[in-house]
Amino acid sequence: MKKFLTVTTAIILAMSMMLFAGCGDKNEANPEPAAEVTVLAAASLTDALDEIIAEFEKNADCTITPSYAGSGDLVQQIKGGAPCDIFISASKSNMDQLEEEDYINTETREDLLANTLTLIAAKEKADAVAMDTLTSDAVGTIAIGEPETVPAGKYASQVFDNMNIADQISGKIVLAKDVRAVLNYVETGDADCGFVYRTDAVLAKDSVAIITDVDESLHDAIIYPAAIMKDAPAGEHAEEFFEFLKTDFSKKVFEKYGFAVN
């Protein structure tokens, strides 16, 4: 009987060791997933923010997942329940909307960057395009972002209104889903010219003609406010990345791409 118990005990111990070993292998094979910070940002921030994210993730214990689009579209995504930890808009009014509806942590909101509205043209149209030729027959199509959802499009519309040419050029307007789509229309020749941010124009200087920066008195100031969402799922990880956006490294990257850092 004693011998039987000894053998039984040994079997139980062996099975327990195998069970624990199996659990250990499972944990090693399936480690705890890293925290994820979701950043919804204006399309014009794509290149600069991607570079900043790559640097941050080198020493971070979380991953950053960006989503770029027109600021107005992003607001609608947030209202529709899309996950978001940090929102960076290309327009104060879009951030104001989220603040008024209690989506953001107002204590974290700050004006991060500034930009300039710039008129660009297809290379073959460079000699014909200027601010004072937009109404002429020399310019057939003008690409702008959808004013209701794309801040750059809203700024362009303000320019047309303040120049008193909105009615004269209404038939020339080609609407785009975001500022990068405007850039693409001009690059491919699908539009004679377009209004983008200076940062986008600089990136595409080899494929489009930069005509001129628009007089800032013709439109609202182009400010990029940023904020952490009130119920940010990533919590302290979102705060860490938000602070990284204000470091010297990030400021230099933003400036490299043509943004003015506030």
Side-chain angles (χ1 to χ4, degrees):
M1 184 67 173
K2 184 176 180 181
K3 182 177 181 181
F4 175 75
L5 289 173
T6 301
V7 172
T8 301
T9 301
I11 293 173
I12 292 173
L13 288 172
M15 290 178 67
S16 297
M17 291 175 67
M18 291 174 64
L19 179 61
F20 282 121
C23 290
D25 291 340
K26 182 177 180 180
N27 289 335
E28 290 178 8
N30 300 283
E32 192 72 21
E36 180 181 21
V37 178
T38 302
V39 179
L40 301 191
S44 51
L45 288 163
T46 302
D47 300 274
L49 206 53
D50 280 349
E51 187 170 328
I52 290 169
I53 288 170
E55 180 66 20
F56 175 79
E57 288 184 334
K58 290 178 181 179
N59 299 304
D61 57 354
C62 62
T63 60
I64 309 298
T65 301
S67 180
Y68 304 106
S71 299
D73 279 340
L74 295 175
V75 167
Q76 293 308 312
Q77 289 178 33
I78 291 170
K79 288 184 176 183
C84 179
D85 293 290
I86 296 171
F87 176 50
I88 311 175
S89 173
S91 167
K92 281 190 170 186
S93 62
N94 292 121
M95 188 66 79
D96 290 343
Q97 190 175 352
L98 291 182
E99 181 171 347
E100 289 166 4
E101 298 183 34
D102 204 28
Y103 280 93
I104 68 170
N105 180 344
T106 56
E107 293 183 358
T108 66
R109 176 176 176 171
E110 61 181 275
D111 294 339
L112 192 66
L113 305 165
N115 213 334
T116 302
L117 191 66
T118 301
L119 173 62
I120 60 172
K123 288 282 190 179
E124 62 274 16
K125 284 286 186 175
D127 294 336
V129 174
M131 292 297 293
D132 59 2
T133 65
L134 296 177
T135 60
S136 73
D137 292 339
V139 177
T141 47
I142 305 169
I144 66 170
E146 172 62 58
E148 295 300 318
T149 56
V150 184
K154 180 189 72 174
Y155 299 134
S157 293
Q158 291 173 349
V159 171
F160 303 151
D161 288 337
N162 288 321
M163 291 179 64
N164 296 313
I165 62 172
D167 291 338
Q168 293 171 266
I169 65 171
S170 60
K172 301 182 179 185
I173 299 299
V174 177
L175 298 178
K177 66 177 182 178
D178 57 43
V179 73
R180 290 304 174 91
V182 173
L183 188 65
N184 182 65
Y185 284 160
V186 178
E187 284 180 314
T188 57
D190 290 328
D192 291 342
C193 61
F195 287 84
V196 297
Y197 295 120
R198 159 61 65 168
T199 49
D200 300 293
V202 170
L203 282 173
K205 62 184 179 181
D206 293 332
S207 55
V208 301
I210 298 176
I211 304 303
T212 186
D213 290 335
V214 179
D215 184 342
E216 293 182 354
S217 68
L218 294 173
H219 60 79
D220 292 341
I222 303 175
I223 303 296
Y224 286 64
I228 298 175
M229 306 307 293
K230 187 174 182 180
D231 300 311
E236 63 181 25
H237 295 292
E239 294 175 9
E240 290 172 6
F241 182 65
F242 195 77
E243 290 305 310
F244 190 76
L245 291 173
K246 296 176 281 184
T247 61
D248 288 341
F249 174 85
S250 296
K251 289 178 180 178
K252 288 178 181 178
V253 172
F254 284 130
E255 288 172 345
K256 181 178 76 172
Y257 284 96
F259 291 97
V261 178
N262 291 330

